[in-house]
Amino acid sequence: MITKTLALKLDVDTLKGYLEGVPRLHGCAFEVIPDRIEAGTYLLAGAATRGSVEVTGARADHLDGLLSKLTEAGVRVDVTERSVRVTASEP
């Protein structure tokens, strides 16, 4: 857990965090979840302009509702493990 690795203690009752001193600091690696609003905005821009846009790093499981509506509207949606692509053609 990232908070434990960085010596951060979180009080779940009050949702207050505090740092506890440690003899030696060290780094850690973690991945930030991609912003679904930003990814969705780019995908919608591609659909609205009848273009093709691929958003690398987007998580389809966080965009289910949007991708469903885009498909309903006739936009082609391609999902891979690493990206989401929308392709819209002329009506």
Side-chain angles (χ1 to χ4, degrees):
M1 182 173 201
I2 188 74
T3 55
K4 188 173 182 181
T5 304
L6 296 176
L8 174 69
K9 293 201 176 203
L10 182 64
D11 182 338
V12 244
D13 294 327
T14 62
L15 295 178
K16 291 183 180 178
Y18 61 94
L19 293 174
E20 183 175 284
V22 292
R24 181 172 165 85
L25 295 176
H26 58 279
C28 69
F30 65 96
E31 188 174 323
V32 176
I33 296 173
D35 185 329
R36 63 183 167 77
I37 303 298
E38 186 175 358
T41 300
Y42 285 115
L43 295 171
L44 282 171
T49 59
R50 299 281 178 207
S52 180
V53 172
E54 180 177 19
V55 181
T56 304
R59 292 185 51 174
D61 59 326
H62 290 183
L63 299 165
D64 286 338
L66 174 64
L67 299 181
S68 172
K69 289 299 180 185
L70 286 171
T71 302
E72 228 178 89
V75 176
R76 179 177 168 182
V77 176
D78 298 303
V79 175
T80 69
E81 189 176 308
R82 295 180 166 198
S83 67
V84 177
R85 174 182 289 277
V86 296
T87 306
S89 57
E90 294 300 320

